[in-house]
Amino acid sequence: MTYCVAMNLAEGLVFVSDSRTNAGIDHIATFRKLYTFGTPGERVIVLQTAGNLATSQSIISLLRQRLFGSEPHLLNVPTLFEVARLVGQTVREVAQYDAESAKSGIDMSCSFLLGGQINGEPPALFNIYPQGNFIQATQDTPYFQIGESKYGKPILDRALKYDLNLEQALRGALVSFDSTIRSNLSVGMPLDVLVYRTDSLNIPKGVRIREDDPYFAEVRERWSQGLRQLLESMPTSPEHFLQ
Amino acid sequence: MTYCVAMNLAEGLVFVSDSRTNAGIDHIATFRKLYTFGTPGERVIVLQTAGNLATSQSIISLLRQRLFGSEPHLLNVPTLFEVARLVGQTVREVAQYDAESAKSGIDMSCSFLLGGQINGEPPALFNIYPQGNFIQATQDTPYFQIGESKYGKPILDRALKYDLNLEQALRGALVSFDSTIRSNLSVGMPLDVLVYRTDSLNIPKGVRIREDDPYFAEVRERWSQGLRQLLESMPTSPEHFLQ
């Protein structure tokens, strides 16, 4: 499995992905699930994937290969909505190509989060389904998750607001990953992080947070401790609850 | 869907179930998913169910009906392990009975948590699968969940230890339910709570926590507030994470 979160906030975009890929429980490997495309000063495109690795790699390869053709591609369509359509079409194309083998019962589907900005437009964030259609994040719901999303959802549902600054939002995302990694073997370190500031129009360097990262270790430790303290500080249950 | 948690701790057993049943999103009803059986002073048996309501109700009805026969039943078998086997057999019997209709593709399976104590044995807790086999909780893993378990798992993974007292454990369970209810429409109030003290050998009265319960409202409020404060108190991400 996989866990990816992306946020579209007042100040910009935040992306965090894990990097564990597994087929069964004994075939585990590290694969980056965060891809960037762009033209400095003109557009920044970030893609995150969850689902079948063969399928998502095929889609990314096709998207890359076509950057050098004359047909519409990620770097020449005029809006991010058109970029989402292109990705969705490519998702459908690969699903079609694999349709015969998918009848074997293996889940060959995959989904994408697509975020970025094209000069002249505000940043945007899309959740592209395995069927190739997609929805866009809004101020009411400024984040999307794909993959193993349930463990890390409660903290985002509570804490994530459109007007959080990027640093605060990133902290929320990291805590959400910590919860997921602790409870689910199929999501694992390292984490790939990318934070994009609105109107910077350059692909951020991003950072890979490894198992031994001292900042993440401190967040994990303090979060765990804080949660236990918070639970202890909850009011005592009424006597009749225990009878 | 459903969410049920049961814990087997040093001091006794804790059970919490939600009560929402839904078929699709517009057929929502309240059904109790917590059942008790017992003989005062001799045995206490608690069952919680998740999954297909028709199936789980059939199983409970058969278990009840047989209490008046001479065959082995919940109130005459000598150990809780044998009780778990009886429930597992009944799960298989109903699955067999419904096998033809289940071919239609509707999921007719259900699972059970079974906890309790029979005089002469320590309390025990079992997780009975839709296949009728089961596992038993231990001091290392003193709790089980069935149904929509993922949202509420991180807090239990962190906070629940075998030697927590029953009141603390109940608080942890309630927080786990709060997280689940906030993030998932298919889990809903009221909650049914039952706390059993080791060797009391009487069926506890238990309590139904309704939407307007002032204690649960306070826990929800303080937990939300505490989580947000905890997140704010996390150390600031290093500068290079944001570039």
Side-chain angles (χ1 to χ4, degrees):
Chain A
M1 204 69 176
T2 288
Y3 180 36
C4 297
V5 170
M7 305 168 174
N8 183 11
L9 307 173
E11 288 189 4
L13 304 161
V14 175
F15 304 88
V16 186
S17 321
D18 88 313
S19 58
R20 180 160 295 173
T21 296
N22 69 306
I25 55 165
D26 56 358
H27 192 118
I28 294 183
T30 300
F31 280 91
R32 190 174 166 92
K33 298 161 193 172
L34 191 151
Y35 303 87
T36 55
F37 298 83
T39 310
E42 199 270 327
R43 72 178 62 197
V44 169
I45 295 168
V46 182
L47 279 169
Q48 293 173 295
T49 73
N52 189 293
L53 183 67
T55 305
S56 64
Q57 285 190 342
S58 292
I59 293 164
I60 295 289
S61 294
L62 287 172
L63 291 170
R64 276 213 185 107
Q65 195 170 292
R66 288 167 185 173
L67 295 180
F68 305 99
S70 56
E71 298 292 300
H73 60 68
L74 296 191
L75 301 183
N76 69 4
V77 294
T79 62
L80 215 59
F81 171 76
E82 291 294 338
V83 171
R85 281 192 147 179
L86 267 184
V87 176
Q89 276 165 24
T90 316
V91 168
R92 287 172 179 168
E93 181 184 335
V94 172
Q96 189 63 37
Y97 181 86
D98 288 333
E100 266 311 307
S101 342
K103 285 184 187 153
S104 65
I106 293 169
D107 185 1
M108 295 174 79
S109 72
C110 78
S111 47
F112 283 85
L113 297 181
L114 160 70
Q117 186 176 19
I118 293 181
N119 198 8
E121 288 192 324
L125 173 64
F126 299 89
N127 186 351
I128 302 171
Y129 298 117
Q131 293 75 24
N133 57 344
F134 51 84
I135 56 172
Q136 183 172 354
T138 61
Q139 292 193 22
D140 288 330
T141 302
Y143 79 93
F144 289 134
Q145 307 166 289
I146 51 176
E148 269 296 351
S149 59
K150 295 185 178 184
Y151 304 101
K153 190 167 187 289
I155 180 66
L156 296 177
D157 279 344
R158 281 203 182 81
L160 196 69
K161 301 275 176 291
Y162 179 72
D163 55 1
L164 276 194
N165 72 43
L166 295 176
E167 194 280 321
Q168 290 170 315
L170 176 57
R171 271 189 265 167
L174 293 180
V175 165
S176 172
F177 270 82
D178 178 38
S179 296
T180 308
I181 288 170
R182 273 175 196 263
S183 292
N184 189 294
L185 274 183
S186 78
V187 177
M189 307 282 291
L191 305 180
D192 290 306
V193 170
L194 207 91
V195 177
Y196 173 78
R197 265 178 210 287
T198 300
D199 293 336
S200 64
L201 289 171
N202 278 305
I203 299 172
K205 273 190 302 194
V207 64
R208 170 158 275 199
I209 302 180
R210 294 178 197 281
E211 198 80 58
D212 59 354
D213 181 86
Y215 172 72
F216 192 57
E218 195 186 342
V219 166
R220 300 188 81 161
E221 177 55 32
R222 281 170 63 167
W223 185 256
S224 259
Q225 218 170 51
L227 276 188
R228 279 192 295 264
Q229 280 165 5
L230 184 56
L231 193 56
E232 275 165 38
S233 77
M234 287 293 110
T236 308
S237 317
E239 206 37 54
H240 71 280
F241 277 28
L242 300 165
Q243 282 163 357
Chain B
M1 201 69 176
T2 288
Y3 179 38
C4 298
V5 170
M7 306 168 173
N8 183 11
L9 307 172
E11 289 188 2
L13 303 160
V14 175
F15 304 88
V16 186
S17 319
D18 87 312
S19 58
R20 179 161 295 174
T21 296
N22 69 306
I25 54 166
D26 55 358
H27 191 118
I28 294 183
T30 299
F31 279 92
R32 190 173 166 91
K33 297 161 193 174
L34 192 152
Y35 303 87
T36 56
F37 299 83
T39 312
E42 198 270 328
R43 72 179 61 200
V44 169
I45 294 169
V46 181
L47 280 169
Q48 294 173 294
T49 72
N52 189 293
L53 182 67
T55 305
S56 64
Q57 285 190 342
S58 293
I59 293 164
I60 295 288
S61 294
L62 286 173
L63 291 170
R64 277 211 186 110
Q65 196 169 293
R66 287 167 187 174
L67 294 180
F68 306 98
S70 56
E71 297 293 299
H73 59 66
L74 293 191
L75 300 182
N76 69 3
V77 294
T79 63
L80 215 60
F81 171 76
E82 291 295 337
V83 172
R85 281 192 150 181
L86 267 184
V87 177
Q89 276 165 25
T90 316
V91 168
R92 286 172 181 169
E93 182 185 334
V94 172
Q96 189 63 37
Y97 182 86
D98 287 333
E100 268 310 307
S101 341
K103 284 184 187 151
S104 66
I106 292 169
D107 186 1
M108 294 174 78
S109 73
C110 77
S111 47
F112 283 86
L113 298 180
L114 160 70
Q117 184 176 19
I118 294 182
N119 197 10
E121 287 192 325
L125 174 63
F126 298 89
N127 186 350
I128 303 172
Y129 298 117
Q131 292 75 25
N133 57 344
F134 50 85
I135 56 174
Q136 184 173 352
T138 61
Q139 292 194 20
D140 288 331
T141 303
Y143 78 94
F144 289 133
Q145 307 166 290
I146 51 176
E148 269 296 352
S149 59
K150 294 184 179 186
Y151 304 102
K153 191 167 187 289
I155 181 65
L156 296 177
D157 279 344
R158 280 204 184 82
L160 196 70
K161 302 277 175 287
Y162 179 73
D163 54 1
L164 276 193
N165 72 45
L166 294 175
E167 192 280 319
Q168 290 169 316
L170 176 57
R171 270 188 266 167
L174 293 180
V175 166
S176 173
F177 270 83
D178 177 38
S179 296
T180 307
I181 289 170
R182 271 173 198 265
S183 292
N184 189 294
L185 273 183
S186 77
V187 178
M189 306 284 290
L191 305 180
D192 289 307
V193 170
L194 207 91
V195 177
Y196 172 78
R197 269 182 206 284
T198 300
D199 294 337
S200 63
L201 289 170
N202 279 306
I203 299 172
K205 272 188 301 193
V207 63
R208 170 158 277 199
I209 303 179
R210 296 179 195 282
E211 198 81 59
D212 58 355
D213 181 86
Y215 173 73
F216 192 57
E218 195 185 344
V219 166
R220 301 188 80 162
E221 177 55 31
R222 281 171 62 167
W223 185 256
S224 260
Q225 215 170 53
L227 276 188
R228 278 193 294 266
Q229 279 165 4
L230 184 56
L231 192 58
E232 274 166 37
S233 78
M234 287 292 111
T236 308
S237 316
E239 208 32 59
H240 72 281
F241 277 27
L242 300 166
Q243 283 164 356

